[in-house]
C-alpha cells in the first residue's frame, strides 16, 4: 500500500493564480481531510469528506474548494491564490470517525 | 469551547535523558486522545491512542498516560535518542456521531542533542 500520496511536494504560485493539490489514498478509507499547518498555529482543518460525494467545511475553508467523486481521490483547489495561503498542506484519511488518521507527506506552497 | 493545549512549546534535552510532554484538554464529549509524532518535513504519524477507560499505554520508549478526571495526558519518552527530535502533537477526538471532529494541540517541538 502506498498509503496517502500528495502531489506536488513543492509549488510556487503568483498571487491570483489557481491550482489543484492532489491527494489519493489506497486504503479504502471513507474519511478524508485537508489541513494547513502554519508556524505556531498547529494543524487547521480546511475541508473534509465522510464519503464519496459528501464534503463539508472545516475551520478555515475560505479560498479553497474540494470535491470527492471517488473514494480514493480528494483534490483541493485554490481558486485565486493569495500570500496568506502560503503554508504546508496535509491530506489525511481514516477508516471511520474514531480510527487512526494517516497523513500524506505534505505540499509546501508559496504564494508570491 | 473545545480546546487542546500542550506544554512546553519547545524542549531541548541531552541524548539518553527522559522527558515528559503535557497535554490539557477541554473537549466534550470525549472519545479518544492520540499522540502523533511529526518529523521535520513529513506528515504526522500516530504513536498511541487512549480511550476514556485507559490510563496508561506504551509504544516502545513512549508511554502515554491519561487522567480523564483532570482532562490531562502526558507523553513520557525514556532514554531519548537523536531520532526522537520531532514535533509531538496531541489530538482529541470529539464523540459526535459520524462527523469525527478532531481537536489539535499546537504541538511540542523536542530537540535531542548529542
Amino acid at each position: 500500500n502506498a498509503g496517502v500520496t500528495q502531489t506536488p511536494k513543492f509549488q510556487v504560485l503568483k498571487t491570483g493564480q489557481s491550482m489543484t493539490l492532489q491527494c489519493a489514498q489506497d486504503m479504502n478509507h471513507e474519511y478524508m481531510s485537508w489541513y494547513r499547518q502554519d508556524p505556531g498555529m498547529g494543524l487547521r482543518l480546511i475541508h473534509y469528506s465522510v464519503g464519496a460525494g459528501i464534503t463539508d467545511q472545516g475551520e478555515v475553508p475560505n479560498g479553497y474548494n474540494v470535491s470527492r467523486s471517488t473514494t480514493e481521490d480528494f483534490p483541493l483547489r485554490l481558486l485565486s491564490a493569495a500570500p496568506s495561503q502560503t503554508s504546508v498542506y496535509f491530506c489525511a484519511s481514516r477508516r471511520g470517525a474514531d480510527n487512526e488518521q494517516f497523513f500524506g507527506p505534505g505540499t509546501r506552497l508559496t504564494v508570491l | 469551547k473545545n480546546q487542546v493545549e500542550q506544554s512546553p512549546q519547545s524542549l531541548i534535552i541531552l541524548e539518553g535523558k527522559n522527558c515528559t510532554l503535557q497535554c490539557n484538554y477541554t473537549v466534550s464529549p470525549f472519545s479518544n486522545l492520540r499522540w502523533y509524532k511529526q518529523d521535520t518535513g513529513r506528515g504526522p504519524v500516530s504513536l498511541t491512542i487512549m480511550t476514556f477507560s485507559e490510563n496508561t499505554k506504551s509504544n516502545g520508549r513512549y508511554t502515554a498516560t491519561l487522567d480523564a478526571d483532570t482532562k490531562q495526558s502526558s507523553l513520557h519518552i525514556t532514554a531519548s535518542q537523536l531520532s526522537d527530535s520531532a514535533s509531538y502533537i496531541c489530538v482529541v477526538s470529539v464523540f459526535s456521531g459520524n462527523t469525527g471532529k478532531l481537536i489539535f494541540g499546537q504541538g511540542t517541538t523536542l530537540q535531542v542533542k548529542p
Side-chain angles (χ1 to χ4, degrees):
Chain A
N1 284 356
V4 180
T5 58
Q6 292 183 238
T7 56
K9 288 187 72 79
F10 301 94
Q11 183 71 49
V12 178
L13 292 177
K14 294 181 179 178
T15 297
Q17 287 185 314
S18 62
M19 79 158 295
T20 299
L21 307 185
Q22 301 292 343
C23 173
Q25 53 93 8
D26 61 358
M27 297 173 282
N28 201 32
H29 286 172
E30 289 297 319
Y31 285 66
M32 295 188 75
S33 305
W34 274 103
Y35 297 89
R36 60 178 289 174
Q37 187 174 40
D38 302 292
M41 301 202 67
L43 286 153
R44 291 184 292 168
L45 182 65
I46 304 172
H47 285 285
Y48 67 98
S49 168
V50 298
I54 306 170
T55 64
D56 207 345
Q57 296 181 349
E59 58 181 301
V60 288
N62 291 343
Y64 308 94
N65 272 357
V66 291
S67 59
R68 184 97 180 268
S69 56
T70 67
T71 299
E72 294 78 20
D73 300 298
F74 191 44
L76 177 73
R77 296 183 188 84
L78 279 69
L79 308 172
S80 177
S84 61
Q85 293 178 305
T86 293
S87 186
V88 181
Y89 291 84
F90 288 99
C91 180
S93 76
R94 51 189 159 142
R95 186 170 305 281
D98 282 339
N99 293 104
E100 177 181 354
Q101 183 151 250
F102 293 84
F103 287 84
T107 293
R108 185 174 292 275
L109 175 69
T110 301
V111 182
L112 303 176
Chain B
K1 180 184 177 184
N2 287 327
Q3 221 166 350
V4 174
E5 297 197 356
Q6 293 186 241
S7 63
Q9 199 170 1
S10 62
L11 183 61
I12 301 174
I13 62 174
L14 292 176
E15 188 178 10
K17 298 295 187 183
N18 304 336
C19 68
T20 300
L21 314 181
Q22 300 289 347
C23 172
N24 295 344
Y25 62 92
T26 54
V27 173
S28 182
F30 173 90
S31 178
N32 61 61
L33 183 149
R34 287 185 187 274
W35 284 93
Y36 283 83
K37 180 186 179 189
Q38 184 176 20
D39 292 317
T40 301
R42 320 242 348 218
V45 175
S46 178
L47 288 174
T48 65
I49 176 173
M50 310 282 295
T51 58
F52 188 85
S53 59
E54 296 173 309
N55 49 30
T56 302
K57 186 169 280 188
S58 292
N59 177 1
R61 295 179 297 101
Y62 300 100
T63 300
T65 65
L66 176 67
D67 185 333
D69 291 331
T70 62
K71 299 188 176 181
Q72 295 180 325
S73 176
S74 65
L75 180 68
H76 186 74
I77 304 174
T78 303
S80 61
Q81 300 176 358
L82 298 179
S83 59
D84 293 329
S85 295
S87 287
Y88 293 85
I89 304 170
C90 176
V91 184
V92 180
S93 177
V94 181
F95 185 78
S96 59
N98 287 334
T99 61
K101 186 170 184 176
L102 301 176
I103 311 298
F104 287 78
Q106 292 189 355
T108 292
T109 300
L110 173 66
Q111 186 177 358
V112 180
K113 290 193 165 183

